Amino acid sequence: MGLLAFFVTQSLNALSQAALLFFLGVGLTLIFGIMRIVNFAHGTFYMLGAFVGYSAARLTGSFWLALALAPLAVGIVGALFELGILRRLYRRDESAFLMVTFGLALVLTELIRLGWGPEALQVEAPSVFSGIVFVLGEPFPTYRLFLAGAGILVALAIWQFLERTRLGLLIRATSQNAEMVHALGIDVNLVRSAVFGIGCGLAGVGGVLAAPLVTASIGMAAEMIIDAFVIVIIGGMGSFPGSLLGAVLVAFVQVFGEYYLPDLALAFMYLVMLLVLVVRPGGLLGKEA
Amino acid sequence: MKPAAKMTRRNVAGLAAGGVAAAASPWVVRRAYAAEPIKIGAPLALTGPLGSVGQQLKRGCELWVKWQNQKGGLLGREIKLLLEDTGGNPADAVRKAQEMVERDGCNIFTGITLSSEALAVVPKLDEWNAIFVSSDNGDGRLTAESFVPNFFRGNVSAPMGARAVSLFLRTAPYKSFYAIGMDYAWGRNSVSVFESEMKQAKKNFIGSVFSPIGTKDFSTYITKIRQSGADACYVTMAGDDYNAFLSQAAQYELPKKVQLLSEVVDLTVPRAVGDAALGLISSMRYCFRVDNPKNKEFVAIWEKEYGIPPDNNEGEQWQALQILAAGIDKAKSTGTKVLRGALETIEIDDINGIVPIRKCDHQAVQGGTVVKLVKAEGFSYPVPEIIATFPGDKTVPACNKMTFED
């Protein structure tokens, strides 16, 4: 394998991983930006997306329908949780949110275990992306190219949504000054429900897209949530571009770190996070820097 | 019209007898288990990346305890299973086991899932005055440099699994090898034994790499395997990591270029990844297709309860408990010292045929089985086909050793 081919294929690998990390990180950061809560159940919504995606793909016979239906279902579950539980806690301190989202993670995990069983389940990549292409003479899975492309498209779509739509404007305004938005006659609670639902739905997208790579399994939430927190801390809590930057940075550090210094593979991500916290405690694009 | 039942003396007597029997039934049950129950502690990794292995061990323990209690327990005593989840964390495994000792008075353990957990627990056995019959722990050190007298290994060890694959490879066409293992005690131990075996067989061992437990993206590792130019790659993985590795390797079409070999494979893996596991050659610690009457009986019991064949670790857990039961029967006691003495000279004839415990290092001596995952009628996923077997005297290392001389 030539050096150029190596760097190009590894970079594509990193981008495909960055896409999955971004789907999780962006929801986490949007929710924090608006509601100032750390959603410990976010990884579980990602896992729920994978399992619902598995069932939807089996029932409909279509990965694409599963990709549309599962995030919708996860988003609805998230919005209902906000409406039913979180809304009652906004006057409490932050520890209440930690406890209740952590509790939700435990309950959802057990419900998934009861509903789908303890074994990992296979979700096949869509047939159009099940083969390989040759990139500079090296085989590369088309599904990973699709992931990288999907990540870029969704990032652009979220950016446009936040910048160009009324709900996007309200989200940005609420994250800056919720009381002022409320004073202007806007139902801030509705914005919060929408953001929580959208954030969880995006985690669901990540879960469905990750399933052909890692299978739908009970352990997948715990394996991913730490990375998602690291991304948000690196990028800056509440910053949309920060979550994108954090996801790309973490993915590249992991992919190239594992290659050159595999014994330190686990440490790299945390070293980057430590470095960022020392230099810019609020994260690279965070407001409190 | 049907005549009304008359309250005759006979009826009254019958009712009275029935009432006495009903009232006495709890006493009858209690009387059947007059003594204290035998407590078996199983601090299992039910969650975490190796949760699927822990779940297998749990099913194995639960069905065995149910089956044994239906036969009247052991020594006329009911068997009580104590289950806890360690999450695969060695510190938690020690803490939960210690709680079972102090809170429940438990002195018998099994099912501890990860070798790293077992290596953390065994130094405490003497202090706890407890016996631990391993059903899953592969790390060779447990019967070598880390061996303690209260530890028994009822399962095939990592050196034994690696040896079976190595013996198969002596006559296979592959010449150069690479290896990947999960980065913890078992993965490193298994790869080191395989490396030693390949070098001894004058094969070209190119190198190895270890992935942290919980790795999600194996693209870099797959790149390394491809770059090595090896004919075959030895894989020491389990649980979620194994599923992710095989899924992604198939997406890179790695098996078309490199034959994947493995120290052990559970049926949960081909069930989770489907055709991505097709063609994998692996040692198996227990294979439901072993052809002997005891195994057929076990498979029937298992399928009646769970509706699917028993998996690798489920069979191993069953065997470990059968060894323990034979020891308790022989000792006529669950006292640690007497039980240890009995277990040291035990021999069972069970699902894997005749398996004796070796007194020198408490290893269960059993043969090696090499399988290939193939499509078979009646199964929607690839299943193991036995392609080679080796006797125990070829696959078990010398006492307190992890490598082989020949």
Side-chain angles (χ1 to χ4, degrees), chain A residues 184-252:
Chain A
L184 290 170
I186 306 294
D187 186 351
V188 174
N189 279 338
L190 204 63
V191 178
R192 284 174 172 153
S193 296
V195 166
F196 202 83
I198 291 169
C200 293
L202 282 167
V205 172
V208 181
L209 291 175
L213 292 184
V214 298
T215 71
S217 64
I218 297 291
M220 67 191 292
E223 289 156 19
M224 203 69 170
I225 190 68
I226 306 288
D227 290 6
F229 278 125
V230 170
I231 287 162
V232 172
I233 290 167
I234 288 175
M237 297 288 274
S239 165
F240 159 67
S243 65
L244 184 60
L245 181 65
V248 172
L249 199 60
V250 164
F252 271 82

Side-chain angles (χ1 to χ4, degrees), chain A:
Chain A
M1 186 187 287
L3 200 60
L4 181 64
F6 167 73
F7 275 101
V8 170
T9 52
Q10 287 297 90
S11 299
L12 287 171
N13 274 327
L15 283 177
S16 65
Q17 282 309 300
L20 292 180
L21 292 171
F22 171 69
F23 289 127
L24 214 64
V26 71
L28 203 58
T29 209
L30 280 177
I31 290 168
F32 180 82
I34 296 290
M35 303 157 94
R36 295 289 182 266
I37 66 167
V38 177
N39 180 18
F40 266 93
H42 211 65
T44 317
F45 283 110
Y46 160 82
M47 175 167 70
L48 183 64
F51 278 94
V52 175
Y54 162 83
S55 293
R58 299 237 337 163
L59 284 172
T60 64
S62 164
F63 178 84
W64 303 112
L65 274 175
L67 186 56
L69 294 174
L72 193 65
V74 174
I76 290 170
V77 172
L80 288 176
F81 177 68
E82 196 280 336
L83 275 168
I85 311 277
L86 289 181
R87 191 163 284 191
R88 299 162 195 269
L89 303 173
Y90 287 126
R91 294 187 182 186
R92 302 255 189 109
D93 65 19
E94 289 168 357
S95 62
F97 295 106
L98 285 182
M99 296 297 284
V100 81
T101 56
F102 188 66
L104 175 69
L106 296 176
V107 170
L108 264 183
T109 301
E110 286 312 307
L111 286 177
I112 290 169
R113 199 193 304 277
L114 282 172
W116 281 275
E119 281 196 19
L121 302 169
Q122 184 185 24
V123 179
E124 287 189 48
S127 54
V128 66
F129 292 122
S130 63
I132 54 167
V133 287
F134 283 87
V135 177
L136 300 172
E138 289 302 318
F140 194 83
T142 48
Y143 187 69
R144 283 183 183 253
L145 285 179
F146 160 69
L147 279 184
I152 293 167
L153 277 178
V154 171
L156 284 172
I158 294 173
W159 176 48
Q160 289 298 303
F161 164 74
L162 289 174
E163 293 292 326
R164 301 278 174 96
T165 66
R166 179 173 163 75
L167 182 56
L169 178 73
L170 288 176
I171 289 171
R172 283 186 291 133
T174 309
S175 74
Q176 284 177 16
N177 192 334
E179 284 180 6
M180 180 61 79
V181 174
H182 185 60
L184 290 170
I186 306 294
D187 186 351
V188 174
N189 279 338
L190 204 63
V191 178
R192 284 174 172 153
S193 296
V195 166
F196 202 83
I198 291 169
C200 293
L202 282 167
V205 172
V208 181
L209 291 175
L213 292 184
V214 298
T215 71
S217 64
I218 297 291
M220 67 191 292
E223 289 156 19
M224 203 69 170
I225 190 68
I226 306 288
D227 290 6
F229 278 125
V230 170
I231 287 162
V232 172
I233 290 167
I234 288 175
M237 297 288 274
S239 165
F240 159 67
S243 65
L244 184 60
L245 181 65
V248 172
L249 199 60
V250 164
F252 271 82
V253 163
Q254 278 184 336
V255 164
F256 283 94
E258 279 166 1
Y259 186 84
Y260 287 108
L261 287 165
D263 287 345
L264 294 174
L266 263 186
F268 273 119
M269 186 173 73
Y270 300 108
L271 285 174
V272 171
M273 184 179 75
L274 275 176
L275 197 67
V276 168
L277 284 176
V278 169
V279 179
R280 286 179 70 88
L284 290 175
L285 301 176
K287 289 170 196 160
E288 295 155 63

Side-chain angles (χ1 to χ4, degrees), chain B residues 360-376:
Chain B
C360 59
D361 61 0
H362 297 180
Q363 171 66 51
V365 178
Q366 52 197 312
T369 304
V370 179
V371 302
K372 185 172 188 173
L373 293 186
V374 297
K375 289 192 183 229

Side-chain angles (χ1 to χ4, degrees), chain B residues 124-330:
Chain B
K124 306 284 284 181
L125 291 176
D126 185 41
E127 176 192 325
W128 295 342
N129 193 29
I131 294 279
F132 166 27
V133 183
S134 162
S135 54
D136 171 55
N137 309 119
D139 196 311
R141 286 175 293 178
L142 288 162
T143 43
E145 66 199 53
S146 300
F147 173 66
V148 298
N150 288 0
F151 174 79
F152 291 83
R153 176 155 34 208
N155 57 285
V156 171
S157 69
M160 290 161 69
R163 171 72 165 180
V165 175
S166 305
L167 290 173
F168 168 78
L169 291 174
R170 287 188 182 180
T171 53
Y174 316 109
K175 301 240 177 326
S176 56
F177 299 89
Y178 196 76
I180 179 168
M182 286 173 91
D183 194 4
Y184 80 104
W186 167 60
R188 287 200 173 258
N189 183 244
S190 181
V191 168
S192 77
V193 175
F194 182 76
E195 179 179 354
S196 156
E197 281 288 296
M198 289 301 99
K199 286 179 176 167
Q200 206 149 297
K202 308 280 185 245
K203 302 263 188 182
N204 180 19
F205 186 83
I206 297 167
S208 59
V209 68
F210 295 91
S211 57
I213 297 179
T215 295
K216 301 168 290 294
D217 177 29
F218 283 93
S219 58
T220 305
Y221 301 101
I222 292 166
T223 301
K224 276 181 177 267
I225 295 167
R226 286 184 63 86
Q227 283 180 335
S228 74
D231 300 328
C233 180
Y234 180 75
V235 185
T236 309
M237 287 194 197
D240 295 348
D241 294 44
Y242 204 0
N243 295 336
F245 173 77
L246 285 178
S247 297
Q248 293 169 36
Q251 285 164 5
Y252 274 90
E253 298 187 353
L254 183 70
K256 285 186 180 173
K257 190 174 179 236
V258 181
Q259 172 63 50
L260 296 180
L261 311 161
S262 179
E263 188 224 294
V264 66
V265 64
D266 301 342
L267 296 177
T268 55
V269 174
R271 277 204 290 265
V273 305
D275 286 355
L278 211 54
L280 177 77
I281 292 173
S282 178
S283 154
M284 232 177 149
R285 297 177 181 181
Y286 163 78
C287 178
F288 73 94
R289 291 184 139 184
V290 168
D291 188 14
N292 78 46
K294 289 278 172 68
N295 187 48
K296 282 180 179 161
E297 186 189 339
F298 166 58
V299 171
I301 293 168
W302 191 276
E303 287 184 336
K304 190 179 168 200
E305 183 78 11
Y306 296 113
I308 50 173
D311 207 339
N312 182 62
N313 296 295
E314 290 162 344
E316 287 277 84
Q317 183 61 67
W318 188 274
Q319 174 168 291
L321 287 166
Q322 287 289 76
I323 289 169
L324 176 64
I328 291 172
D329 257 347
K330 187 176 178 189

